[in-house]
């Protein structure tokens, strides 16, 4: 998720290259992150582009350990305090 937070939008091949993880492992993780609503996916024939879903308030929680400034909008108060 850190690679995605830094770039916002990437295809599987680029994520695989940057992470050093196998294509199949990256694909499994990306599909889970899409299912959780942390990423969105666009398809252009065989090309799959993944993008960070900033409308999901939990997505911003990933940015905090990376030192990125975020605003936890729409998150329950107790959760927001834990990340501030």
């Amino acid at each position: 998720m850190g690679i995605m937070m830094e770039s916002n939008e990437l295809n599987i091949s680029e994520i695989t290259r940057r992470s050093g993880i196998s294509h199949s492992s990256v694909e499994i993780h990306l599909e889970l992150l899409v299912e959780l609503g942390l990423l969105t996916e666009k398809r252009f024939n065989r090309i799959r582009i993944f993008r960070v879903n900033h409308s999901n308030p939990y997505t911003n929680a990933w940015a905090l350990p990376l030192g990125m400034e975020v605003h936890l909008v729409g998150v329950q108060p107790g959760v927001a305090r834990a990340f501030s």
Side-chain angles (χ1 to χ4, degrees):
M1 190 70 181
I3 292 170
M4 291 302 300
M5 292 299 290
E6 293 169 359
S7 299
N8 196 47
E9 183 177 271
L10 293 169
N11 65 31
I12 293 178
S13 297
E14 184 61 21
I15 297 166
T16 299
R17 186 186 69 75
R18 292 185 188 191
S19 68
I21 300 172
S22 72
H23 185 279
S24 58
S25 293
V26 168
E27 184 174 27
I28 291 167
H29 285 92
L30 290 172
E31 288 173 356
L32 176 61
L33 292 170
V34 168
E35 186 177 320
L36 293 171
L38 300 174
L39 298 179
T40 60
E41 176 186 9
K42 293 186 285 186
R43 289 180 185 243
F44 302 99
N45 296 320
R46 294 185 63 195
I47 299 171
R48 297 166 67 189
I49 306 291
F50 293 88
R51 183 179 192 123
V52 175
N53 181 6
H54 291 288
S55 65
N56 183 331
Y58 295 105
T59 300
N60 291 329
W62 285 94
L64 295 169
L66 300 172
M68 298 176 180
E69 183 177 332
V70 297
H71 304 281
L72 296 174
V73 177
V75 176
Q76 296 176 356
V79 173
R81 276 195 300 280
F83 289 102
S84 60

